[in-house]
Amino acid sequence: MGLGAGRARGRGLVAEWRKLFAEIGQVPPLEAVLRVLRALDPPPDPPVRLPILAARHFGDPHALDRTSSAGRALFAWLAWRYGALGADEPDSAEIAEGAAQDEGTSETVRAWYLRAGIRIDDVSPVVHVANWPGLDASPMAFTLASLDRGTLRRIPPRVMVVENPAVFAELAERSPAPVVCSYGWPNAAVLRLLDLATSAGSELWYSGDFDLGGLRIGRSLWQRYGPKFVPWRFRHDMYDSLAKFGRVSLSEEERPHLARLQDALWDAELAVNMLTFGVKVFQEQFVDTLVEDAMEVVAQPR
């Protein structure tokens, strides 16, 4: 009902299905997904992994990926059944920046699949950490599955989180501060680690790029973690001091999306000033400052 009325995720599929039915008198992707849903009633216990489910019913382990018509239909049903009926589909800019790409592995969406008896990949999502208490100081990678098994037993009072791997590597080598790399939009393993840290009382000191993607990532973490989120050199005063070094301009396509963020950030002046200066500034351009901060944070008592 929600799809037909255009109020739910997957509403774009309705137009495709109508066109397909007009051409051939059938809607094979919908019919295939209905067969899958019948197989999931009741949800299997233990849950079946998504690629195995797809291989059983389609002969193709990728047939239920979010990029396929059947996968989008399944996701639309899950969102209708377990999520928000009126949820908007992401726009093209959000897809390009990674938000929509990771949506299929977010904590909320994983819960939708799991309630239906489907397991999403818990091995590919990886988080990199360094200088974690109780572990080797060198950078280490942990999968979502390993985090679920309680691999990280000691939690530091402050966790430094950065967006880019080169900056993560510099911090890991030049500072003893516990540091986490999100590699752009945080995947499920990154979020699980940050959830564990904040649940134990840690502050998240987050630093990102001063561009549309960086602000969107920061906004998502700020909204998720609230007062535990500390914008680390990620405010308008830092941007203003670095804007003269910006060499990459904001595109005309990015400007309206950035303008919509003005009232949805931890710093009301940040998006406004970025639109005024019109340039992007990246973490690699102020990595030395981040290293100095990390050294000071480690030296400070909690």
Side-chain angles (χ1 to χ4, degrees), residues 131 158 160 175-178 292-302:
N131 300 319
R158 301 181 183 90
M160 323 300 280
S175 162
E292 292 172 4
D293 287 349
M295 295 293 291
E296 292 180 6
V297 165
V298 171
Q300 295 174 359
R302 175 69 191 270

Side-chain angles (χ1 to χ4, degrees), residues 27-104:
V27 186
L30 176 59
E31 295 169 359
V33 169
L34 290 175
R35 291 196 300 272
V36 171
L37 294 179
R38 283 193 290 270
L40 295 172
D41 185 19
D45 185 18
V48 59
R49 295 185 185 276
L50 184 65
I52 294 175
L53 179 68
R56 286 176 181 171
H57 291 274
F58 296 85
D60 177 0
H62 298 290
L64 290 174
D65 290 355
R66 287 282 306 283
T67 53
S68 71
S69 181
R72 291 166 59 205
L74 174 61
F75 181 80
W77 182 85
L78 292 169
W80 170 80
R81 180 67 177 83
Y82 301 115
L85 179 63
D88 292 331
E89 290 183 312
D91 61 28
S92 58
E94 289 175 320
I95 293 172
E97 292 297 339
Q101 292 171 354
D102 187 62
E103 187 175 29

Side-chain angles (χ1 to χ4, degrees), residues 97-115:
E97 292 297 339
Q101 292 171 354
D102 187 62
E103 187 175 29
T105 55
S106 73
E107 292 293 287
T108 299
V109 171
R110 281 178 177 274
W112 295 352
Y113 279 92
L114 193 58
R115 289 180 67 182

Side-chain angles (χ1 to χ4, degrees), residues 52-284:
I52 294 175
L53 179 68
R56 286 176 181 171
H57 291 274
F58 296 85
D60 177 0
H62 298 290
L64 290 174
D65 290 355
R66 287 282 306 283
T67 53
S68 71
S69 181
R72 291 166 59 205
L74 174 61
F75 181 80
W77 182 85
L78 292 169
W80 170 80
R81 180 67 177 83
Y82 301 115
L85 179 63
D88 292 331
E89 290 183 312
D91 61 28
S92 58
E94 289 175 320
I95 293 172
E97 292 297 339
Q101 292 171 354
D102 187 62
E103 187 175 29
T105 55
S106 73
E107 292 293 287
T108 299
V109 171
R110 281 178 177 274
W112 295 352
Y113 279 92
L114 193 58
R115 289 180 67 182
I118 304 170
R119 288 185 68 182
I120 301 299
D121 178 18
D122 55 4
V123 176
S124 295
V126 171
V127 58
H128 284 80
V129 306
N131 300 319
W132 201 267
L135 300 176
D136 192 283
S138 302
M140 305 179 72
F142 296 96
T143 66
L144 179 61
S146 68
L147 293 174
D148 285 341
R149 291 194 296 268
T151 302
L152 302 180
R153 301 186 183 280
R154 293 176 57 187
I155 305 295
R158 301 181 183 90
V159 178
M160 323 300 280
V161 186
V162 294
E163 180 182 344
N164 302 311
V167 176
F168 167 78
E170 287 287 311
L171 285 163
E173 291 177 1
R174 298 168 58 189
S175 162
V179 59
V180 173
C181 185
S182 75
Y183 279 87
W185 198 273
N187 64 32
V190 174
L191 293 177
R192 184 64 56 82
L193 173 58
L194 300 186
D195 287 350
L196 291 171
T198 53
S199 295
S202 294
E203 293 179 339
L204 302 183
W205 285 47
Y206 182 78
S207 177
D209 290 331
F210 290 102
D211 63 0
L212 179 60
L215 265 60
R216 278 179 163 156
I217 295 169
R219 179 187 61 173
S220 73
L221 295 176
W222 174 55
Q223 292 174 339
R224 185 181 183 98
Y225 298 111
K228 294 294 183 181
F229 174 91
V230 178
W232 175 26
R233 298 288 179 173
F234 206 28
R235 303 183 65 88
H236 75 275
D237 53 350
M238 185 65 176
Y239 173 79
D240 293 351
S241 69
L242 295 168
K244 59 180 176 291
F245 302 111
R247 297 293 182 267
V248 180
S249 299
L250 292 168
S251 70
E252 291 304 314
E253 291 77 14
E254 290 171 316
R255 283 182 168 274
H257 296 291
L258 189 60
R260 290 203 292 269
L261 291 177
Q262 292 183 26
D263 299 321
L265 297 175
W266 56 93
D267 182 341
E269 298 180 54
L270 179 53
V272 176
N273 291 14
M274 287 178 61
L275 286 168
T276 299
F277 285 102
V279 295
K280 306 174 185 180
V281 176
F282 304 98
Q283 285 187 304
E284 290 85 352

